[in-house]
Amino acid sequence: MESYQKKGIVLRKLILTYLIWRMAVLPGFAQTAQNPIIYADVPDVSMIRVGDTYYASSTTMHLSPGLPIMKSKDLVNWRIVSYAYSTLDDGDALNLSNGANAYGRGSWASSLRYHNGTFYVSTFSGTTNKTYIYSTKNIETGQWKVKSFTPALHDHSLFFDDDGKAYMVYGSGKIMLAELNEDLSGVNPDKKPQILIGNASAVAGPNIGLPAEGSQLFKVNGKYYLFNISWPKGGMRTVLIHRADQLTGPYEGHVGLQDKGVAQGGLINTPNGIWYAYLFRDFGAVGRVPYLVPVKWTDGWPELGIDHKAPDTLDLPVSKGLIPGIVSSDEFGRKNGEPALPLVWQWNHNPDDRLWSFKKRPGYLRLITGRTDSTLLSARNTLTQRTIGPECSATTLIDVSNMKDGDFAGLALLQQRYGFVGVKSDHGSRQIVMINAQTGAAAEAASIPLKQTTIYLKASCDFTNRTDKAHFFYSLDGQKWEPIGTPLQMAYTIPHFMGYRFGLFNYASRQTGGYVDFDFFHISNTQ
């Protein structure tokens, strides 16, 4: 009997070893990628492959630095490697000054290209009414040069044809084609823009809510393929595909995909010839999340999806997680020669660089007030990172000993309907407060006297199945956490047009010159 038991133990070990090996090395066996590829707000993706390396750009609108560039070797695991600009432009709206703001505007959908050894990424802005084209020889470490011109060409696709000429395809509903100057400094004044497709939405039916936009143009095997997004009334975001033998048309089109609202993007292929469509999906308060959809070619058309559906899993490597490539913790220690801000950070609008520092108190982020504001949304120099799904949390430790009367500082979840936990300095006393603005108006949901000069703060998010709930906490010692205030029902709102972001902030409501020091920022993929 003992011999049989030993043999059974050995057999079970062999089976377990085999299963572990199979999960580790065989594609498609518990090691497949999952959609969304990036469970965070990374909308309007434009993607290229150079050799065996993929690069992608995305929209971050009113944030600075802006127009992020991401890198991947497998289409699944991405990290931010650069930004095309530190600030898009100057002006009250972009500076969050004199009552103006660029929420939901700033710069929108970009177009990333590689041509003759140079990387190009272009975007446009309804805030400035300009089109911007950035270029660099080294997409990861090089300096970006910029050329800008009017007008803003809506949702354009930058395209270099085989004859070396550069074009932009743009528009909404009526899709236009403009030839650019040879130096990309503007639209060629000798070549009038022409109508490419008079009503690109027509292939989606007669009852259209959002006309065709989000153009991305590709040339594959001598044919031109134009991707757009449309939104039929009562329906969902829909992929439209048109093709032509000549750049100028005529174009024929059809619906490329209509499933889960996954849409807007284009085509990418692997070095061994496997094709995908990169798209995004509205996913509630976390934002617009990237999806990959398999593509096969039939009769010269790209067929998107598995049985015309966007699959939940993909035969690609498993994700290693979004930390630290897309978001990351930060101890705020900076060595000589290191950039002041790791690439995961972006300011809410253009920052005032006089009023933040890592040098005034080494190992800390100092935020100094320089003007008075009445609300978090009007406050300058809020430093942000994305939230991530399905769950996440962030913690920080803040020294509030140098706040002035009327100051507010803390940890926020930033969107139009924001919430935060922080400290309020009020007539000689300090209170730990939780502010809840889920109704659209900020309300103080809790206030607790604070008798010490340091306080730990925490915000947690649950995006599972679009629960979109946030909770806030504080701790006096970093060990025991106490809930504070009311749950925040997060909501993706069009005025801000962005998924929720963690934000570190300090603003004055009565007098300027106060400051706070943040010791660290820790982010986790759990609540």
Side-chain angles (χ1 to χ4, degrees):
M1 177 65 73
E2 184 176 349
S3 175
Y4 282 114
Q5 288 176 335
K6 288 181 178 178
K7 288 181 179 179
I9 292 172
V10 170
L11 181 61
R12 286 195 295 273
K13 287 183 176 179
L14 287 172
I15 293 172
L16 180 59
T17 301
Y18 168 74
L19 289 173
I20 292 173
W21 169 83
R22 190 173 180 187
M23 290 174 67
V25 303
L26 291 187
F29 190 87
Q31 289 292 302
T32 56
Q34 300 215 353
N35 273 319
I37 289 298
I38 301 175
Y39 206 146
D41 190 57
V42 184
D44 305 332
V45 170
S46 180
M47 192 181 297
I48 59 173
R49 177 175 59 82
V50 180
D52 64 352
T53 303
Y54 305 93
Y55 295 101
S57 61
S58 178
T59 295
T60 50
M61 292 176 291
H62 50 273
L63 301 179
S64 294
L67 219 173
I69 306 296
M70 299 174 294
K71 175 185 178 181
S72 176
K73 286 288 189 178
D74 59 13
L75 286 172
V76 175
N77 294 285
W78 294 88
R79 63 184 178 91
I80 304 169
V81 294
S82 68
Y83 288 92
Y85 62 79
S86 57
T87 58
L88 176 69
D89 225 316
D90 201 2
D92 284 349
L94 293 170
N95 292 335
L96 203 57
S97 297
N98 297 319
N101 69 73
Y103 285 118
R105 293 177 290 133
S107 69
W108 280 10
S110 58
S111 181
L112 180 62
R113 295 290 181 259
Y114 181 70
H115 177 67
N116 288 345
T118 299
F119 293 90
Y120 299 88
V121 63
S122 59
T123 186
F124 71 103
S125 174
T127 307
T128 64
N129 192 35
K130 292 181 183 178
T131 298
Y132 300 79
I133 301 178
Y134 301 87
S135 62
T136 185
K137 292 291 185 181
N138 190 324
I139 194 171
E140 297 184 42
T141 60
Q143 294 294 313
W144 291 86
K145 300 176 182 178
V146 62
K147 294 185 178 180
S148 63
F149 56 87
T150 57
L153 300 184
H154 179 80
D155 274 12
H156 64 253
S157 180
L158 178 62
F159 184 76
F160 295 94
D161 209 353
D162 296 338
D163 60 6
K165 293 181 179 179
Y167 300 86
M168 280 189 171
V169 177
Y170 63 98
S172 176
K174 180 170 65 177
I175 304 301
M176 304 292 295
L177 175 69
E179 182 179 327
L180 301 181
N181 294 329
E182 187 174 345
D183 64 357
L184 307 183
S185 60
V187 175
N188 187 334
D190 298 325
K191 298 292 181 75
K192 183 179 179 180
Q194 65 183 85
I195 297 173
L196 204 63
I197 306 173
N199 181 11
S201 313
V203 294
N207 195 23
I208 298 298
L210 176 71
E213 59 178 22
S215 293
Q216 294 203 32
L217 183 66
F218 308 87
K219 192 172 186 179
V220 181
N221 294 329
K223 287 185 180 291
Y224 298 84
Y225 294 88
L226 178 62
F227 276 59
N228 291 104
I229 183 177
S230 185
W231 200 331
K233 291 180 180 178
M236 65 182 73
R237 290 186 184 269
T238 300
V239 178
L240 309 179
I241 305 175
H242 288 81
R243 73 176 184 183
D245 294 322
Q246 304 293 328
L247 173 61
T248 54
Y251 282 82
E252 57 178 330
H254 65 209
V255 170
L257 183 71
Q258 197 172 58
D259 181 48
K260 302 187 182 86
V262 175
Q264 188 158 338
L267 293 169
I268 193 75
N269 66 343
T270 66
N272 56 356
I274 299 173
W275 289 83
Y276 292 91
Y278 55 86
L279 307 163
F280 74 74
R281 181 183 184 187
D282 294 286
F283 227 53
V286 75
R288 295 178 288 171
V289 298
Y291 264 59
L292 282 177
V293 174
V295 171
K296 66 178 181 179
W297 291 85
T298 304
D299 297 328
W301 285 98
E303 287 191 13
L304 276 56
I306 305 296
D307 295 327
H308 306 292
K309 301 292 183 183
D312 294 326
T313 59
L314 297 155
D315 191 14
L316 286 168
V318 68
S319 173
K320 298 174 184 176
L322 304 185
I323 305 171
I326 304 299
V327 298
S328 184
S329 297
D330 194 340
E331 301 300 327
F332 297 141
R334 299 291 184 263
K335 297 178 182 178
N336 289 335
E338 286 186 334
L341 284 176
L343 295 171
V344 292
W345 290 110
Q346 290 175 283
W347 297 101
N348 179 23
H349 290 68
N350 294 344
D352 184 337
D353 289 329
R354 302 168 301 168
L355 301 175
W356 65 275
S357 174
F358 291 105
K359 295 180 179 180
K360 292 184 182 297
R361 186 180 178 185
Y364 290 79
L365 165 66
R366 177 166 294 181
L367 296 180
I368 309 160
T369 64
R371 69 182 195 194
T372 59
D373 288 287
S374 60
T375 172
L376 173 68
L377 297 184
S378 64
R380 207 167 177 185
N381 283 19
T382 297
L383 189 59
T384 78
Q385 284 198 41
R386 293 171 176 84
T387 57
I388 60 175
E391 298 176 341
C392 64
S393 61
T395 56
T396 190
L397 170 61
I398 181 174
D399 182 336
V400 299
S401 55
N402 293 287
M403 296 177 74
K404 290 194 173 183
D405 186 49
D407 288 0
F408 289 80
L411 173 63
L413 282 167
L414 183 65
Q415 231 270 3
Q416 185 192 39
R417 299 179 184 179
Y418 64 89
F420 72 71
V421 58
V423 175
K424 174 177 70 172
S425 179
D426 188 27
H427 296 99
S429 66
R430 300 189 192 99
Q431 292 89 40
I432 310 167
V433 294
M434 187 269 160
I435 303 296
N436 191 320
Q438 70 180 34
T439 64
E444 187 178 281
S447 177
I448 300 168
L450 176 63
K451 302 300 183 182
Q452 58 191 57
T453 59
T454 59
I455 185 74
Y456 294 82
L457 307 173
K458 177 179 179 179
S460 69
C461 303
D462 182 5
F463 299 110
T464 309
N465 297 322
R466 304 195 188 191
T467 300
D468 293 348
K469 287 277 190 185
H471 297 84
F472 296 86
F473 307 85
Y474 73 93
S475 174
L476 300 177
D477 58 8
Q479 302 297 318
K480 183 181 179 183
W481 291 94
E482 301 288 349
I484 184 171
T486 52
L488 174 69
Q489 183 61 59
M490 296 180 286
Y492 187 97
T493 68
I494 295 302
H496 277 213
F497 212 13
M498 182 176 285
Y500 275 77
R501 289 212 160 212
F502 292 115
L504 304 179
F505 70 91
N506 180 33
Y507 71 91
S509 65
R510 296 172 190 158
Q511 55 183 307
T512 63
Y515 63 87
V516 296
D517 293 328
F518 293 89
D519 191 351
F520 60 79
F521 174 86
H522 292 165
I523 190 167
S524 169
N525 60 358
T526 64
Q527 292 192 74

